[in-house]
Amino acid sequence: MNSNHKGKPLLTNREREVFELLVQDKTTKEIAQQLFISEKTVRNHISNVMQKLNVKGRSQAVVELVRLGDLKI
């Protein structure tokens, strides 16, 4: 059980936006265009989230975020 989870959300607003688009099968490029950020920034957000969750790979991150209730599909 992640105790620091109650207080503040795991994801920043931007990270959540990126993952909400990711679960809609958007590519890095599409996410970047939609959020008006660079593809590199999109990838940084994704890897930051994977580090926070201690998972390898985007799909694992998505599964974990959904499990934690941080992401709705």
Side-chain angles (χ1 to χ4, degrees):
M1 184 75 179
N2 191 344
S3 56
N4 70 355
H5 196 67
K6 275 192 204 71
K8 70 186 196 50
L10 185 66
L11 301 182
T12 65
N13 287 339
R14 184 57 102 187
E15 288 167 350
R16 178 171 282 109
E17 286 174 327
V18 167
F19 271 84
E20 281 172 352
L21 292 170
L22 206 58
V23 296
Q24 296 169 35
D25 265 344
K26 300 252 190 261
T27 63
T28 304
K29 186 175 190 168
E30 288 168 332
I31 294 170
Q33 287 170 340
Q34 197 158 336
L35 298 179
F36 305 105
I37 56 181
S38 72
E39 287 179 58
K40 184 178 191 302
T41 303
V42 172
R43 282 192 290 270
N44 286 344
H45 285 311
I46 293 168
S47 67
N48 288 344
V49 171
M50 290 185 331
Q51 274 182 311
K52 284 186 199 180
L53 294 169
N54 197 20
V55 295
K56 291 181 173 43
R58 299 174 176 204
S59 51
Q60 260 186 294
V62 167
V63 167
E64 191 60 15
L65 289 171
V66 170
R67 193 181 69 76
L68 292 168
D70 270 288
L71 188 64
K72 304 272 183 284
I73 305 194

